[in-house]
Amino acid sequence: AGAALFSANFVIPLLTPTGYFATATELNPLLHTWSLSVEEQFYFVVPALLLLCWSIAVRRPAARRWLWTLLAAGAAVSLALCIGLTFDIDMVPGLPVGLRQPVAFFSPLTRAWEFLAGMVLVTLPVPGRLSPLAARVLRATGVGLVLLAYGCFSDATVFPGVAALLPVVGTALAIYAGSVLSSREAVDGQGPSPRWIATASAAFVWLGALSYSWYLWHWPAIVYARAFEPSAGRWLVVLAAAASLLPAVASYRYVEQRFRTRPVTPSRGPVLAAALCIVLPLVASACTVRVRSSVLDSATVARYSAAAAPHVGDENGCANLTSVGAIGVERCTWHAAGSRGSVVLVGDSNAGQFAEAFRDATAGTGLSFTLTNKNACPFVPVRLVRSGTVVDDCFAFVTRSLRELEANPPTVVAIAGSTYGYNTWTEYQMIDPKSGKLVTEPSARRRLFERELGATIARLRRAGSRVLVVNQSPQVVRSGAAVGRRTPVYRLSDCSPLAIWIRGPQCLGASSFPTTASVIL
């Protein structure tokens, strides 16, 4: 419905959950329609922009210069807004911190500079003095920037921001230099290119003409293939993308080209066609509500959905507290009135997994229960290094909480956390608090982790608390996956409701538990 009404870039952020345990956005088969909506919104503005430029230009001799000035000024403002919001700079009054990056990504105002770059490119004259050698260097530079973005960008890339300049500027340079070379070849009357070059060029031209239709079809094909068979490797993505060429060819020939080459006459036909293109998706969207309900309400999907639902600690914000005694801990405490003792559960996101179990087990015992966890933060006083960055807030959370637990010792302190991840995954290192040295090797990390965990348990016991250490939650990994890499781990959210509905527990495919999951405890 959002795509049909040219507003998918606003609908998708509203319907897509964010956060530590959010379902991957890659499971949305219509995620790619956000850019189409931004494009359509831009097409609504461009005629007014051109009309403004024309009204200014007819009164002045330098018409093209006025157009460039207006386009360049608009692009500069849009780019500045894009970069600022991407890096959480307060540039829009009243816009919350958590919404700045999504606005930078999805807003037509922050992505307008990319379209305006194309408009500037179209209006630039092709210089006759640029030599073929200079044009080839310019084209190679542009293609190099695009390839650099393709090879270097990852899920960790802060985007769009400054990073978006690489593919946009690279594409503009390649197109402009190609235009210069084409015009020079036409003027110089060069002979035909070698046959293999002509064949390759024709293939690329054919693929380029098909690219818009292929863009429409490739993403739904990839999403449904991955959602139905999440245990498959990269080959399934390649196969799905290749298979989507078939409907892309059909829609290009029978829809895109038919409407493009059809003469536009002042009749009701085009208006009726446009109305149907908007109304039919809205009707289909309303019909899918019933289908979606039948899938989600099935017993199997309902059971999986309940298991994947946020835990009570996530709902109450217990992972956002700075320590076990911080302001706000009361919303993470149960059975506090008239209690004869207390149980405190601390740790990383694994601790949050056991919140309901501890809450229900302590109910009626006279013991109060408090949960305070920090996601991706083991409850040991070591400085954790994640992807080359020291996680200072994690170290502060643990050391501050230990001091507070010693000052006001509870009856029981339960520590729950991941041992496999921090001691095995290559993205993690640790700084030894005694020597100050960086520890990278997995076996050395395990020894340091065990030493500091033992010292933590000893401190809590001396303060008068009993200590319960809970093993980590089991993690399902791909069979034969390389140890030390995070990617092989499966989450329940990797299974789409459709795959769960059809295949049930087998939606993850063949899997096994890591033998090193309990290496410490």
Side-chain angles (χ1 to χ4, degrees):
L5 296 175
F6 315 134
S7 58
N9 57 318
F10 300 119
V11 173
I12 288 174
L14 293 176
L15 298 182
T16 303
T18 58
Y20 189 78
F21 294 104
T23 303
T25 54
E26 287 81 0
L27 283 178
N28 183 352
L30 296 179
L31 181 68
H32 64 319
T33 60
W34 77 268
S35 63
L36 304 179
S37 293
V38 172
E39 183 180 346
E40 300 301 331
Q41 291 160 18
F42 189 76
Y43 291 155
F44 281 116
V45 177
V46 166
L49 182 65
L50 294 179
L51 181 62
L52 176 63
C53 292
W54 176 82
S55 64
I56 296 175
V58 293
R59 297 178 178 88
R60 291 167 176 81
R64 194 184 295 266
R65 189 179 304 166
W66 280 97
L67 179 60
W68 289 340
T69 302
L70 188 61
L71 294 179
V77 172
S78 173
L79 178 60
L81 195 63
C82 176
I83 294 175
L85 292 179
T86 298
F87 292 97
D88 272 338
I89 298 176
D90 187 9
M91 302 183 69
V92 180
L95 186 64
V97 175
L99 291 180
R100 290 172 188 167
Q101 204 282 332
V103 167
F105 190 92
F106 289 107
S107 172
L109 297 178
T110 54
R111 306 306 289 266
W113 67 273
E114 302 178 49
F115 292 101
L116 292 173
M119 292 184 66
V120 171
L121 189 66
V122 168
T123 58
L124 284 177
V126 177
R129 297 182 179 179
L130 192 64
S131 67
L133 177 60
R136 290 190 179 94
V137 171
L138 204 62
R139 182 173 62 182
T141 302
V143 173
L145 291 176
V146 174
L147 293 177
L148 182 65
Y150 176 78
C152 297
F153 286 6
S154 67
D155 290 342
T157 303
V158 181
F159 199 87
V162 180
L165 286 168
L166 235 63
V168 174
V169 173
T171 302
L173 290 177
I175 293 175
Y176 187 67
S179 301
V180 172
L181 291 173
S182 297
S183 63
R184 289 297 298 267
E185 290 173 359
V187 171
D188 297 342
Q190 294 182 358
S193 302
R195 185 167 184 176
W196 70 272
I197 294 181
T199 302
S201 298
F204 278 113
V205 169
W206 175 81
L207 194 62
L210 193 66
S211 61
Y212 184 82
S213 293
W214 197 13
Y215 177 81
L216 297 178
W217 288 100
H218 85 288
W219 184 247
I222 290 174
V223 167
Y224 277 109
R226 290 178 60 188
F228 189 74
E229 193 66 45
S231 60
R234 190 178 295 271
W235 65 268
L236 184 63
V237 173
V238 176
L239 182 62
S244 65
L245 266 174
L246 297 176
V249 170
S251 64
Y252 173 75
R253 179 174 179 180
Y254 296 110
V255 179
E256 185 177 335
Q257 288 303 305
R258 177 168 294 184
F259 279 91
R260 175 182 293 173
T261 57
R262 186 175 182 176
V264 179
T265 57
S267 65
R268 291 180 296 178
V271 177
L272 180 61
L276 287 176
C277 287
I278 295 175
V279 172
L280 290 180
L282 296 180
V283 174
S285 176
C287 293
T288 57
V289 173
R290 181 178 295 275
V291 178
R292 183 175 182 270
S293 298
S294 63
V295 172
L296 295 181
D297 292 342
S298 65
T300 303
V301 176
R303 188 168 64 251
Y304 271 67
S305 299
H311 288 271
V312 64
D314 300 309
E315 294 178 340
N316 291 8
C318 301
N320 300 325
L321 301 178
T322 56
S323 68
V324 296
I327 297 175
V329 73
E330 61 277 358
R331 65 175 181 265
C332 302
T333 301
W334 293 265
H335 334 302
S339 60
R340 296 185 293 106
S342 60
V343 176
V344 176
L345 174 61
V346 294
D348 58 10
S349 58
N350 278 247
Q353 300 287 307
F354 301 112
E356 288 83 359
F358 272 82
R359 180 196 61 187
D360 297 343
T362 53
T365 63
L367 296 172
S368 67
F369 166 60
T370 299
L371 167 68
T372 310
N373 66 302
K374 190 170 184 61
N375 295 333
C377 178
F379 200 75
V380 289
V382 299
R383 292 191 180 274
L384 193 67
V385 179
R386 185 186 304 120
S387 301
T389 303
V390 180
V391 191
D392 286 323
D393 58 338
C394 180
F395 181 74
F397 171 82
V398 175
T399 54
R400 190 181 298 118
S401 295
L402 279 174
R403 289 195 299 268
E404 293 170 353
L405 290 171
E406 288 178 311
N408 299 285
T411 309
V412 177
V413 177
I415 302 174
S418 170
T419 54
Y420 178 66
Y422 307 120
N423 293 291
T424 307
W425 290 337
T426 53
E427 68 180 279
Y428 286 111
Q429 293 93 38
M430 299 176 187
I431 298 178
D432 191 329
K434 293 184 177 180
S435 64
K437 294 182 178 178
L438 182 67
V439 181
T440 59
E441 203 273 324
S443 61
R445 275 190 281 158
R446 287 195 291 269
R447 289 193 296 270
L448 174 61
F449 193 98
E450 184 175 5
R451 185 193 78 193
E452 293 302 320
L453 179 60
T456 299
I457 294 172
R459 286 178 60 178
L460 295 171
R461 283 176 172 169
R462 285 195 298 269
S465 298
R466 295 176 57 191
V467 180
L468 171 66
V469 180
V470 185
N471 202 351
Q472 74 167 49
S473 302
Q475 296 186 12
V476 185
V477 299
R478 298 171 187 167
S479 300
V483 176
R485 300 189 62 186
R486 188 181 186 124
T487 50
V489 177
Y490 284 125
R491 292 173 182 255
L492 188 60
S493 58
D494 290 338
C495 283
S496 67
L498 184 64
I500 297 171
W501 185 55
I502 296 174
R503 304 181 64 192
Q506 298 303 316
C507 66
L508 283 178
S511 57
S512 62
F513 292 107
T515 56
T516 53
S518 303
V519 67
I520 296 298
L521 305 176

